[in-house]
Amino acid sequence: GEARMGSEGVGGAGAEGRRPVGGRAQGAGADEAPAAEGDGTGILRVMREYGRPIRYSYTERDQPLAVYQTVFALPSGDGAGSAEMPSAARPFTVRMVTELVSRGVQFAPVTLHTGVASAEAHEPPYPERFAVSETSARLINAVRAGGGRVVAVGTTAVRAVESAVGADGVVRAREGWTDLVVTPERGVRAVDGLLTGLHEPEASHLLMLEAVAGRAAIDRGYEAALRGLYLWHEFGDVHLVLPAETPHTEHCGSNCR
């Protein structure tokens, strides 16, 4: 069996190069925006009314917020959500998920409200709010116990589930805020593979990719992306990252060669 984790998010964002653009109030000056209530609800109201998703410079126009939602997205109770689109899950469609399920792939939903991932010089990611349910934790543990493979859909899903796994490798239901930074030194305890887009050369997420598959595989992947002139970020190409040596290497046609 194989479990794939789809990160849920309701916000939309991106970056122009590595610098955020948009996502700010439009049509109102700093002294014209409505005052925000002390409980934070006013901030959400102002963002909904005046804000717009952050976009990358190679896109020609702003996109509606609906375009930034993934097939796994569910609205949160307080109306808050990701500041940036969980882009690795964007290519998934209802039809694709249905076909994967029919082939025996199981999905373990997790939630992580992503911050703006536009770090420029190896800054660690911001603390982010996450939740791993009891049901998803049991499914991930069962797949691992049965010799299956756990493939995360996006770095957000990695951060969420790795924040819920103990030193014993068991995933437990957990929610809250996480400041975990997955590095090669820390390694991964529950994730066997990763579907992800292409990240900036200085992004801390590359350390996570290296923790999953090793530096050599990541270097080869990025060399191929540069040769092919692949797009980066939210509208770029999603690729599968796997360790060089796994029980499933016979099914791998990329970095296992």
Side-chain angles (χ1 to χ4, degrees):
E2 183 172 296
R4 300 196 180 193
M5 296 170 293
S7 180
E8 300 170 350
V10 297
E16 180 174 356
R18 288 173 296 189
R19 300 182 183 277
V21 297
R24 55 184 180 272
Q26 293 188 323
D31 57 347
E32 299 171 353
E37 285 83 353
D39 61 358
T41 57
I43 295 176
L44 295 176
R45 179 172 56 82
V46 170
M47 290 176 65
R48 283 192 294 268
E49 185 172 354
Y50 296 100
R52 62 184 174 90
I54 298 172
R55 68 177 177 88
Y56 292 113
S57 58
Y58 61 72
T59 59
E60 297 180 353
R61 63 186 183 280
D62 288 345
Q63 303 289 336
L65 190 60
V67 174
Y68 288 77
Q69 307 307 306
T70 74
V71 70
F72 303 107
L74 294 173
S76 59
D78 59 4
S82 297
E84 186 167 11
M85 179 178 67
S87 52
R90 189 174 184 274
F92 282 77
T93 63
V94 173
R95 179 175 179 176
M96 179 186 295
V97 172
T98 302
E99 183 175 351
L100 289 171
V101 170
S102 71
R103 295 186 180 191
V105 176
Q106 302 175 79
F107 285 84
V110 298
T111 299
L112 187 137
H113 293 312
T114 59
V116 178
S118 57
E120 297 183 352
H122 287 298
E123 300 99 329
Y126 299 109
E128 295 166 322
R129 190 153 53 102
F130 79 102
V132 177
S133 68
E134 181 67 38
T135 300
S136 291
R138 285 200 304 267
L139 176 56
I140 295 169
N141 292 330
V143 167
R144 291 182 59 81
R149 178 171 55 188
V150 177
V151 177
V153 181
T155 56
T156 56
V158 176
R159 196 181 198 195
V161 75
E162 290 292 328
S163 296
V165 66
D168 56 0
V170 176
V171 179
R172 297 174 175 86
R174 188 179 174 190
E175 62 180 296
W177 289 81
T178 178
D179 58 0
L180 175 67
V181 180
V182 179
T183 64
E185 291 74 25
R186 190 265 188 191
V188 286
R189 299 170 182 169
V191 174
D192 302 303
L194 170 63
L195 280 166
T196 184
L198 298 167
H199 302 278
E200 293 288 346
E202 299 297 313
S204 61
H205 284 318
L206 286 179
L207 297 176
M208 179 186 292
L209 272 60
E210 186 177 338
V212 172
R215 180 61 181 269
I218 302 306
D219 286 346
R220 288 197 300 272
Y222 275 70
E223 289 168 3
L226 291 173
R227 287 195 303 269
L229 301 179
Y230 293 172
L231 293 178
W232 298 55
H233 300 299
E234 60 195 12
F235 297 107
D237 294 270
V238 173
H239 60 296
L240 176 62
V241 177
L242 293 172
E245 298 292 338
T246 77
H248 306 275
T249 51
E250 67 272 17
H251 304 300
C252 177
S254 56
N255 64 338
C256 299
R257 291 178 180 173

